[in-house]
Amino acid sequence: MFRVRGIQLAVHGSFFLLLAWIAYEGWQLGGWPTLFWCVGILLAFFVCVVLHELGHSFTAMAFGIGVSRILLMPIGGMAQFDDIPREPRRELLITLAGPAVNFLIAGLLWPIVGLAADDGIPITTRGFFQLLLHANLAMGCFNLLPVFPMDGGRILRAFLAWRMPYVRATYWASRVARVLAVVAIGTILFSPFFGRWQERILPSVLFVFIGIVGELEYRATLRREREDEHWRASLARLYGPAPTAEPPPVSP
Ligand SMILES: [Zn+2]
């Protein structure tokens, strides 16, 4: 669509299917005014998704890491970094910056519109911003679930990487994610708190997707580590072992 500080903002084609579906649901609920209200909410929600991703991106750029693009999909946004830092402190700050943006937006809206009442959100201007406030609180909290590669999972990996090698930390983060994803899917499918079965499918598919992406990212991390090791070994064969930081022992 356009660029922000060199970051390309791209929208996946399936996003327009979601837009069409929301428009149709809104129209069925209350004709044209509700259609515009629902489409407006969806667009405002995705503006917040972009701001969340820009939070990650600008923090990464402050550390000198390039961000090529932000891709918007119906399930959310994804910032693509040139290189994810393997330094826990940096990864922690970059990761926290996303949910922090959501809590900041919620914190700004809260004193103005307040939380919605229990009996639902009215289709008014105030209701619009109340729903946006609720959506930002939900987005911030949901992303902090420790399910790798969601933000919470990355935070878990950063904490683990303080105590063990990076690949090992990624392995454990992705294993925890797999277990939690299975628990989440079981809860969504069998708990009475979730509504009709149609409403249970999308969140279940989302957790399957998160589990798969987590596994793929672990494998990519492992592959990169092995390639790096291969190059280190090859260079060592050619030029001798890499120099270490410690000075050679001095004989008395
Ligand atoms: Zn995030």
Side-chain angles (χ1 to χ4, degrees):
M1 292 200 297
F2 51 85
R3 284 178 179 275
V4 188
R5 285 180 63 187
I7 308 167
Q8 185 197 24
L9 195 65
V11 178
H12 193 264
S14 55
F15 177 80
F16 296 100
L17 288 176
L18 178 69
L19 199 64
W21 178 64
I22 290 288
Y24 176 72
E25 290 267 304
W27 184 71
Q28 272 207 324
L29 260 171
W32 288 102
T34 319
L35 183 153
F36 283 120
W37 194 88
C38 290
V39 168
I41 267 290
L42 185 75
L43 294 178
F45 178 75
F46 272 90
V47 167
C48 294
V49 172
V50 171
L51 292 174
H52 171 113
E53 295 304 328
L54 285 177
H56 290 309
S57 305
F58 288 166
T59 316
M61 286 159 87
F63 288 125
I65 299 153
V67 185
S68 48
R69 72 170 181 168
I70 291 172
L71 178 64
L72 281 184
M73 293 170 290
I75 55 159
M78 196 166 70
Q80 291 169 347
F81 300 111
D82 294 343
D83 190 25
I84 294 178
R86 291 195 168 195
E87 195 198 316
R89 195 184 64 90
R90 283 187 179 187
E91 189 175 24
L92 191 62
L93 288 175
I94 292 170
T95 307
L96 284 173
V101 170
N102 294 120
F103 292 126
L104 182 71
I105 296 170
L108 290 173
L109 287 174
W110 200 319
I112 302 170
V113 293
L115 286 178
D118 285 340
D119 54 348
I121 288 169
I123 300 182
T124 56
T125 310
R126 181 152 181 251
F128 184 92
F129 287 105
Q130 280 179 330
L131 187 55
L132 205 57
L133 162 59
H134 284 243
N136 271 285
L137 284 179
M139 206 195 304
C141 293
F142 180 73
N143 273 288
L144 287 176
L145 289 178
V147 186
F148 187 80
M150 291 193 338
D151 292 338
R154 287 188 191 284
I155 292 168
L156 174 67
R157 194 229 335 239
F159 279 120
L160 291 173
W162 250 304
R163 303 172 173 276
M164 56 177 88
Y166 189 78
V167 175
R168 201 91 207 114
T170 311
Y171 171 82
W172 282 112
S174 70
R175 281 305 166 275
V176 170
R178 192 186 278 187
V179 172
L180 290 180
V182 170
V183 171
I185 292 167
T187 311
I188 291 164
L189 289 182
F190 299 110
S191 143
F193 298 111
F194 288 84
R196 296 174 296 161
W197 66 269
Q198 295 98 317
E199 288 161 7
R200 296 170 191 239
I201 290 176
L202 203 64
S204 307
V205 171
L206 178 67
F207 275 104
V208 171
F209 181 77
I210 290 168
I212 292 170
V213 174
E215 182 64 25
L216 288 178
E217 192 167 327
Y218 162 64
R219 286 188 195 174
T221 311
L222 186 66
R223 197 166 50 236
R224 223 186 80 180
E225 180 77 5
R226 284 187 180 151
E227 279 168 11
D228 285 356
E229 219 155 78
H230 171 78
W231 282 108
R232 269 199 300 274
S234 305
L235 287 173
R237 266 202 304 280
L238 275 172
Y239 302 109
T244 49
E246 272 182 39
V250 183
S251 50

